[in-house]
Amino acid sequence: MSGWLVAATALLAAGFGPVVWGVATGPLERRVVAQNFGTSVVCLVMLLLAQGYARPSYVDLALVLAVLGPAGTLVYARLLADDLDDRPPHANLLTVVAASATAVVVVATCVATGPGRAMVKLLLIGVLLVAGNVIASRALAGGFPPDGGAAR
């Protein structure tokens, strides 16, 4: 078993267990935040599995998930806006964790892949994941403040 597969297993165990618990239990706010975090975990696991099994097609799956995961969260935020207005979820810590994990995994896979088109695709996935998580978590929290970023 390679280090890539060990890392994918560890990330899946450490990240997906809390995601399943968050989606299955608790208030609506926690469920939506857990769903958003879950897409990031699965996307990163796909990148690690692509490297571990030497299957570039898994990177394509991660790219699709990096686009559709945050978009799905934005759809949930729009459809559940009335229910989330009372107590909007704040996922600042999870957003930082997801962005940090994304940076670590993407940099490691870029180093292993080397320069080329595959590296550009990995960097694009990293940018999409980080930007998607930030935008989706802000949308869940009620959007960006109208005064240009001052705290509420």
Side-chain angles (χ1 to χ4, degrees), residues 4 13 15 17 29 31-32 41 50 52 60 72 80 87 92 98 104 115-116 119 124-126 135 141 144 146 150 152:
W4 297 106
E29 299 86 19
R31 291 175 188 213
V32 176
V41 170
D60 295 338
L80 301 172
R87 290 186 2 214
N92 297 336
V104 168
M119 182 186 230
L124 176 65
I125 291 170
I135 291 169
F144 291 100
R152 288 185 178 180

Side-chain angles (χ1 to χ4, degrees), residues 95-112:
T95 302
V96 170
V97 168
S100 300
T102 300
V104 168
V105 170
V106 168
V107 167
T109 52
C110 282
V111 168

